[in-house]
Structure formats: C-alpha cells, structure tokens
Amino acid sequence: MTTSRPRPLGALLALLMLLALLPAVRLHAAPTHADTLYNQAVVDVQEHMTTLRSLNALYGHIAAIKSRIEAMQSEAADALAAAAADQQDAIEALEAQEEAIYAEGLEASAEFDRKYQEAMQENPADYEAILAAQRELDARRAELDARTQTARKAYEATVEAIANVLDGLSASLGARLPALEADGERAEEIRKALAEYENAWAAATDAQRESESGQALSKAAGAAGQGIAVWIEGTNYDALARALAEALKAFLDYVTAIDAAPAAPDARADVYDTAGRLRLKNATAAEAARTLPQGIYIVQGRRVAIR
C-alpha cells in the first residue's frame, strides 16, 4: 500500500486555516515614549514638592512664608492628581478600543472558519472560496491593525499633552523656589530682629519711643511684622529686613549713646540731637561743631553743647 503526498494546495490551505483560527492577541498599551515623558514629569514635580517640604520645616513657623509654601504644595498636588486621572482615562479609553478591536478580530476569524468549513464540504472542495475568504480576513485584520495604531497614536498624543502640562508646572515651581527660599531666609532674619525690637522697645522710655529714631523703628517694625504675617505679591523681604535692621541699630545707638562712656576726641560716631534724630553719620566731635547749628547734641557717647 502506498501513501500519496498531500497536494501543495491542500497543505497551503491547511496552513491558512491554522493562521486564521489562531486566537487574536489582546492588545494592551505597552509603555510608550509619551509614558516615559509623563513619568519623568511626575518625578520632577515630586522633587519640587520635596523641596517645599524642606522649606516648610525651615520657615513654616512664619505665617506669610507658610502660606506661600502651602499654596505651591496645593498647586502641585492638584496638578498631579488631575494628571493621574487624565492619564487613567486615556489608558481606559485605549483598552476599551483595543478590547473592541480584539472582539472584532475574533468575529472575523469565526467568519473565516464558517466559510472555510462550507467550502471544504463542497464536492470537490471550493478552494477559490477559501482563498477569497482568506483575502477578506486579511483585509479585515489590516483594517483592525490600522485602527489599533490610530488608537495608540491618540493615546500617546493625550499622554504627551498631560506630560507637557506637568513640565510647565515643574518649570514654574523651579523658577519660584529660589525666591521663596531667599524670602524665607530674610523672613527669619526679620522674625529674630522683631524679637530684639520688642525687648528694646519694652526697655525704652516714653521719650525714647517718641523720638525720631523711635518713630522710625516703630514704622519699620510694623511694616516688617506685616510682611511676615500676610503675603502680598511683590513683598520685598530684603528691603523690609534692611530697613528694620538699620532702624533698630539707629534706635539702639541713640538710646545707648546718652549713657556711654566718653570716647577719644578724634573717634568717629553718629551724632543725634536730643529728640533722637540722626544729624551726622560717622563724625568726630570737632566735625559736628563745625557743621551743626548751636544746640545740645549727643556725640561720642556724651552730651555736647555747640555754641
């Protein structure tokens, strides 16, 4: 008994049938370039949030600085939450489309199987019908592949847009953080200077408080205190700290000059009138005598009469 070889066409049809009936592979969104951009943007924003937490530990006890830190933290947290929700929506939309495409692929394979079985039941087998069914299946699968690619491109575009929003936020935070840190340092200087001011003010006499230097100090302290209590856009902490430090020094110099020990005749010091107004800076007693009108002044730690 001899065994006949399968005809080449029969072998081809068997292979086509095998390929056609292979289950369609479910398509899941593999990591894309857009996903990489999104993940990096999230990391960048989170790093800025870590910096904000550090600044909060350093300057969070200062009301105006704390409010700015909390506002930036809230801005970052809200943006991350919105981005995560938008990305999840994009993932679910892509998965839904791919699931639908997968189901349509299964239907196309089942339709091919039906036509194949019908053609094979013909006597003789209708090979032309089988090849036509195969061409129809190939075209259908090409269409489904194109739809898959379109869905994935739409997903990538959406996620890249989300990443761009986070990148913008990251750039904004990065630009604002150095100023916030510098303001925090100055605000801490102000807070310490205000404590020194409170002590000096409590120890001063009414006349000293009402003097020109006392009034200047009170004004500078009020502005500085308001600056670290409530944040107002454009607040210049450097200017507030400098004004307070200068006013405090002038007031303390004025208060202590009255009772200080006499200095050498050629020593230089600030000269005040009896109302606490600064009249000359870094002058000797002789220079004060030549420059100022007649009157009583405090110079080099003692009362000096200029006639």
Side-chain angles (χ1 to χ4, degrees), residues 157-302:
T158 298
V159 174
E160 187 167 350
I162 297 169
N164 288 338
V165 171
L166 290 180
D167 282 338
L169 172 63
S170 179
S172 175
L173 292 174
R176 285 180 283 165
L177 280 172
L180 176 61
E181 183 173 9
D183 284 347
E185 292 176 358
R186 298 292 85 74
E188 178 64 9
E189 291 178 8
I190 290 172
R191 188 188 67 81
K192 292 178 179 178
L194 285 173
E196 187 177 354
Y197 153 75
E198 292 290 348
N199 292 333
W201 197 255
T205 65
D206 290 342
Q208 290 168 344
R209 295 183 191 125
E210 293 171 1
S211 69
E212 182 177 304
S213 61
Q215 293 302 306
L217 174 58
S218 178
K219 182 179 179 181
Q226 179 67 14
I228 65 172
V230 179
W231 164 248
I232 298 175
E233 186 69 32
T235 298
N236 188 331
Y237 282 98
D238 277 332
L240 290 176
R242 185 168 55 253
L244 177 59
E246 291 175 355
L248 183 59
K249 180 180 183 303
F251 180 73
L252 292 175
D253 286 347
Y254 162 67
V255 170
T256 58
I258 297 176
D259 301 319
D266 59 348
R268 293 184 173 275
D270 295 340
V271 181
Y272 299 87
D273 61 21
T274 55
R277 291 185 292 266
L278 177 66
R279 302 301 299 269
L280 288 177
K281 287 186 66 68
N282 197 32
T284 64
E287 290 172 342
R290 290 195 303 269
T291 304
L292 298 173
Q294 293 182 356
I296 303 298
Y297 297 92
I298 298 170
V299 59
Q300 297 183 5
R302 60 193 174 90

Side-chain angles (χ1 to χ4, degrees), residues 45 49 70-85 166 169:
V45 174
M49 293 183 74
E70 290 177 345
M72 292 170 69
Q73 287 175 324
S74 178
E75 179 184 3
D78 290 347
L80 286 176
L166 290 180
L169 172 63

Side-chain angles (χ1 to χ4, degrees), residues 30-44 87 155-156 159-160 163 167:
T32 66
H33 176 64
D35 292 319
T36 300
L37 294 177
Y38 169 80
N39 291 333
Q40 184 58 55
V42 169
V43 169
D44 292 342
Q87 188 212 27
Y155 168 81
E156 290 188 37
V159 174
E160 187 167 350
D167 282 338

Side-chain angles (χ1 to χ4, degrees), residues 91-154:
I91 290 173
E92 292 175 358
L94 177 60
E95 289 181 342
Q97 292 178 74
E98 291 186 333
E99 287 290 340
I101 291 170
Y102 169 75
E104 291 182 39
L106 289 181
E107 290 177 1
S109 294
E111 178 65 13
F112 173 84
D113 180 43
R114 185 185 65 76
K115 293 180 179 179
Y116 177 88
Q117 296 299 336
E118 288 180 354
M120 290 298 291
Q121 289 173 6
E122 296 291 330
N123 190 14
D126 190 350
Y127 295 126
E128 289 299 327
I130 294 174
L131 292 175
Q134 180 63 48
R135 287 192 295 271
E136 181 181 338
L137 177 61
D138 290 343
R140 182 64 173 146
R141 283 184 168 172
E143 175 198 350
L144 297 177
D145 286 344
R147 284 170 54 189
T148 298
Q149 294 305 313
T150 298
R152 286 185 171 178
K153 287 179 180 178

